[in-house]
Amino acid sequence: MTDRYLSVDQVAELLGTSPRFPRRLIEERRIRYVKVGRHVRIPESAVQEYIDARTVQPIRLRRTAFRRVA
């Protein structure tokens, strides 16, 4: 398995947020991370899992006959 390990700043750029957001995810243990000495790294697969788990799919509405209510 060849997973890239990203810094907090790289994850923030990938998500389009400030570095504070990934730091909060780490603090609240809402995303997997690895401690390398005093550095924190987040596996690229963990970022993808986080995105996948929070992706909202659009609702497909069924086409029904339009009825006018008087």
Side-chain angles (χ1 to χ4, degrees):
M1 179 170 78
T2 57
D3 210 2
R4 282 185 50 211
Y5 291 89
L6 307 172
S7 68
V8 169
D9 290 334
Q10 289 172 316
V11 172
E13 185 176 330
L14 185 65
L15 295 176
T17 65
S18 70
R20 186 176 179 176
F21 181 70
R23 283 192 182 103
R24 195 174 81 220
L25 293 178
I26 291 166
E27 181 182 331
E28 295 171 358
R29 295 185 183 252
R30 293 172 35 197
I31 194 167
R32 285 186 297 121
Y33 65 94
V34 177
K35 294 267 310 196
V36 182
R38 54 181 251 194
H39 302 282
V40 175
R41 296 293 182 255
I42 301 171
E44 212 168 21
S45 62
V47 176
Q48 191 58 51
E49 288 169 11
Y50 180 81
I51 292 169
D52 291 343
R54 282 148 185 85
T55 299
V56 178
Q57 298 299 325
I59 297 174
R60 289 185 163 225
L61 298 176
R62 292 189 334 193
R63 291 184 72 110
T64 58
F66 180 78
R67 290 192 283 168
R68 190 172 193 178
V69 179

